[in-house]
Amino acid sequence: MNENRNLRICLATAEFAPLAKTGGLADVSAALSTYLHKAGHDVRVLMPYYASLKREHLLIENVEGLQNLRINIGPWDVEYSIDKATIERSGLTIYLLRCPALYDRAGLYTSGGDEHLRFILLSRAAFEMCQRMQFAPDIMHCHDWHTALIPLYLRTLYARDALFARTRSVLTIHNIGYQGVFGADILADLNLGHFQEQLHQDDIAKGRINFLKTGILYADLLTTVSPTYAREIQGSEYGMGLDGFLRARADVLVGILNGVDSDEWNPETDTLIPHNYSAEDKSGKENCKAALLAELGLRNRTHQPLIGIVSRLVSQKGFDLLEHVLPQLLARRDFSLAVLGSGEPHIEWFFESLQRHARDRVCFYHGYNNKLAHLIEAGSDLFLMPSRYEPCGLNQMYSLKYGTVPVVRETGGLADSVQAISPDKGTGTGILFRDYDEAGLTWAMNTALDLFENKPLWKKVVHNGMTQDFSWQKQGEQYVNIFRQLSGS
Ligand code: ADP
Ligand code: GLC
């Protein structure tokens, strides 16, 4: 066999940027598949054709032979079609699973009684698509709980199809906090027949089925999105009940840090920011700051440090700490704050009240806004991510590229992508605190604000961050290497 032949990969995902995104899963599915495609591999991406799919500039076509198909999911006779669209910039074709009965909903995810069906269909359709295209994948690459049944399906329902004889499954865990746990009453919808004994029987006895756990048990290879998170989830503090299963499979668990899609996130070429700049000429960054302050109606004092936050507003991200630390810090120190996000009501309420009390220094933009996310990355001086846990985190890497110094908790991918500053040597890229407590965060924020005043060191730290290499070229190769090892090619 040719040592370096191109790989055939079927990648099934619930999110793909910019078509359907709630978080970093979308960025990573898009950037990794684009990297693989450009590197010459044959990647077939399958994702749901959500009603909310961003269709602008997308020419969607029916795929011949993949229209008006039917599949039995438990007692349900589900009709679906597969369409395709080519992403203009990369030339990558993605396949869209059209099933209005399941995907015509307001958001990407629902809390409805048929949520499991939406992702069982995605997982099954990945196989059905390969069969109808006579595409024999080396790798079925699934992501998070949504497609985590694929490894078991490969070993059961589709095991007898010679097309998949050499196929290996890889499950990438982006966030172990979301496991896809359903009541055992959905058992019939998995169509496993007598294979259902392969599901975790203690769970069934307790009346539940855990999709992510099933993937962890049966994938040929497990990856997660940073080396530190790969270690952390094997312990009880971060494993969210799955640590024992991960320890049992530690020999096939690999941590690969995500990369940054430099077509999307690059201050030299970014079309969403008003002034471009680079590590060599940073002058445009000052103008971005002025533009951001004006856009958000914040007092325009460009010499005052501006701290940015762009985030899903969920407890994972450390907002309970901020609730205690920020009001006091705002009273004591001179800085302003730009927050973009939406999520849990009590966190939204916190930022709304903070804004009410200091309208000229705090702006909370409630919602999702990609353009503003870019402007906050470019216009802020510091970027705050005090996460309780963070599998990888992308914003801190975007911040580094944009010359915005990250202030992060030392966990998961934050620990792997931000280097502590050594004032004597002038090395390091950001501020890290270890203990998840108010003292830790207060120390980190004071240190960051002091650093901003120390201009010679500040400039070095900014420059160090901007010249880091987080390219997918580097990270994507690691996926290719493990895919090759696994498929024996
Ligand atoms: P997570 O996937 O846990 O949300 P990441 O840091 O990996 O965290 O990725 C978050 C992604 O979502 C980034 O691309 C970030 O810019 C984007 N994002 C999050 N919230 C918003 C928002 N309110 N508006 C625009 N982009 C957002
Ligand atoms: C998850 C994680 C985040 C990671 C992203 C992409 O949503 O919370 O840390 O960067 O997936 O892998």
Side-chain angles (χ1 to χ4, degrees):
M1 181 175 297
N2 175 356
E3 270 282 294
N4 278 324
R5 76 172 171 81
N6 290 331
L7 295 164
R8 290 182 299 270
I9 301 148
C10 176
L11 190 153
T13 178
E15 299 192 21
F16 187 99
L19 310 187
K21 165 168 167 173
T22 67
L25 169 62
D27 301 54
V28 173
S29 304
L32 174 61
S33 50
T34 302
Y35 164 77
L36 294 168
H37 167 72
K38 285 188 175 164
H41 305 289
D42 190 348
V43 196
R44 313 276 169 111
V45 177
L46 182 68
M47 67 177 292
Y49 191 156
Y50 301 106
S52 59
L53 195 90
K54 302 233 163 32
R55 263 161 280 198
E56 301 89 48
H57 316 297
L58 207 62
L59 178 64
I60 300 176
E61 298 167 287
N62 295 346
V63 181
E64 212 181 303
L66 296 181
Q67 299 301 299
N68 307 318
L69 308 174
R70 307 193 89 93
I71 188 168
N72 287 325
I73 297 190
W76 320 102
D77 177 21
V78 179
E79 186 177 328
Y80 70 99
S81 299
I82 293 181
D83 295 344
K84 66 175 181 179
T86 300
I87 306 293
E88 210 180 322
R89 214 172 39 199
S90 59
L92 171 72
T93 297
I94 59 162
Y95 293 88
L96 300 168
L97 174 57
R98 181 155 50 80
C99 176
L102 289 177
Y103 302 128
D104 266 10
R105 310 286 162 88
L108 305 196
Y109 306 119
T110 77
S111 49
D114 61 359
E115 187 69 351
H116 65 289
L117 294 179
R118 303 173 76 230
F119 295 105
I120 290 174
L121 176 66
L122 178 60
S123 305
R124 296 274 311 273
F127 289 98
E128 306 277 324
M129 176 178 89
C130 291
Q131 286 176 323
R132 287 170 194 270
M133 289 174 163
Q134 279 301 293
F135 178 73
D138 298 297
I139 302 292
M140 293 290 270
H141 192 182
C142 37
H143 296 261
D144 276 351
W145 73 265
H146 320 101
T147 48
L149 292 178
I150 284 180
L152 179 58
Y153 283 146
L154 179 62
R155 288 169 187 241
T156 56
L157 295 192
Y158 296 92
R160 292 169 67 162
D161 187 338
L163 194 70
F164 301 116
R166 299 181 60 87
T167 304
R168 299 290 175 267
S169 62
V170 177
L171 168 64
T172 295
I173 302 168
H174 295 262
N175 193 332
I176 210 160
Y178 302 85
Q179 299 182 3
V181 182
F182 299 95
D185 53 327
I186 69 150
L187 195 55
D189 297 343
L190 301 181
N191 286 80
L192 286 169
H194 68 278
F195 293 124
Q196 70 186 41
E197 66 198 24
Q198 300 198 22
L199 291 167
H200 194 260
Q201 292 303 303
D202 287 356
D203 278 356
I204 304 278
K206 288 180 189 142
R208 56 178 189 247
I209 293 174
N210 182 321
F211 282 27
L212 190 66
K213 185 188 287 181
T214 308
I216 289 172
L217 290 173
Y218 290 105
D220 293 304
L221 187 81
L222 300 167
T223 78
T224 186
V225 287
S226 68
T228 295
Y229 194 60
R231 282 193 300 279
E232 286 175 342
I233 55 178
Q234 294 180 51
S236 58
E237 191 185 347
Y238 293 93
M240 307 237 180
L242 298 183
D243 42 298
F245 300 92
L246 289 160
R247 282 196 300 277
R249 303 218 63 208
D251 54 332
V252 293
L253 171 60
V254 183
I256 301 177
L257 195 71
N258 288 329
V260 170
D261 182 351
S262 55
D263 286 338
E264 278 290 321
W265 295 94
N266 180 352
E268 292 183 50
T269 52
D270 192 333
T271 54
L272 299 176
I273 58 175
H275 303 275
N276 292 115
Y277 57 94
S278 65
E280 290 69 45
D281 177 6
K282 303 182 183 71
S283 53
K285 186 166 172 66
E286 281 285 297
N287 300 331
C288 287
K289 181 172 179 181
L292 175 59
L293 291 169
E295 170 106 15
L296 299 182
L298 291 170
R299 188 166 47 173
N300 192 344
R301 285 175 46 208
T302 44
H303 296 299
Q304 180 189 48
L306 173 59
I307 303 180
I309 295 177
V310 179
S311 185
R312 292 184 294 120
L313 301 182
V314 294
S315 59
Q316 173 198 342
K317 304 291 179 178
F319 292 110
D320 53 336
L321 277 191
L322 279 187
E323 284 178 18
H324 292 105
V325 167
L326 264 180
Q328 291 176 25
L329 215 64
L330 269 168
R332 271 198 245 120
R333 307 238 12 190
D334 187 27
F335 65 94
S336 37
L337 185 67
V339 184
L340 165 63
S342 65
E344 292 169 15
H346 73 99
I347 305 174
E348 295 179 353
W349 182 88
F350 163 68
F351 283 118
E352 272 156 18
S353 79
L354 207 63
Q355 170 176 260
R356 259 199 313 278
H357 286 100
R359 183 60 194 94
D360 58 341
R361 291 173 63 201
V362 177
C363 179
F364 170 45
Y365 183 106
H366 176 216
Y368 185 89
N369 185 327
N370 187 41
K371 189 168 181 212
L372 184 57
H374 281 247
L375 186 57
I376 290 179
E377 287 292 5
S380 302
D381 300 298
L382 293 155
F383 195 91
L384 192 53
M385 285 179 84
S387 304
R388 186 183 282 278
Y389 74 93
E390 195 62 75
C392 178
L394 296 170
N395 281 303
Q396 81 283 5
M397 295 195 276
Y398 302 156
S399 299
L400 290 166
K401 288 208 73 170
Y402 281 70
T404 301
V405 176
V407 182
V408 304
R409 170 136 185 276
E410 194 175 342
T411 183
L414 299 173
D416 293 340
S417 57
V418 180
Q419 295 160 16
I421 295 163
S422 161
D424 302 342
K425 297 189 203 131
T427 55
T429 59
I431 290 110
L432 300 119
F433 67 102
R434 190 163 300 168
D435 295 335
Y436 188 81
D437 58 25
E438 291 169 34
L441 177 59
T442 307
W443 171 84
M445 293 196 61
N446 277 319
T447 306
L449 294 168
D450 293 343
L451 176 70
F452 183 76
E453 302 302 327
N454 178 351
K455 287 301 173 215
L457 182 58
W458 173 262
K459 283 186 181 155
K460 270 195 198 140
V461 171
V462 167
H463 191 80
N464 294 345
M466 290 185 83
T467 47
Q468 297 282 300
D469 179 6
F470 293 114
S471 63
W472 268 107
Q473 187 64 35
K474 196 162 136 230
Q475 305 312 107
E477 270 169 22
Q478 297 187 44
Y479 279 94
V480 172
N481 290 341
I482 56 166
F483 288 173
R484 280 199 195 288
Q485 277 172 24
L486 197 60
S487 68
S489 73

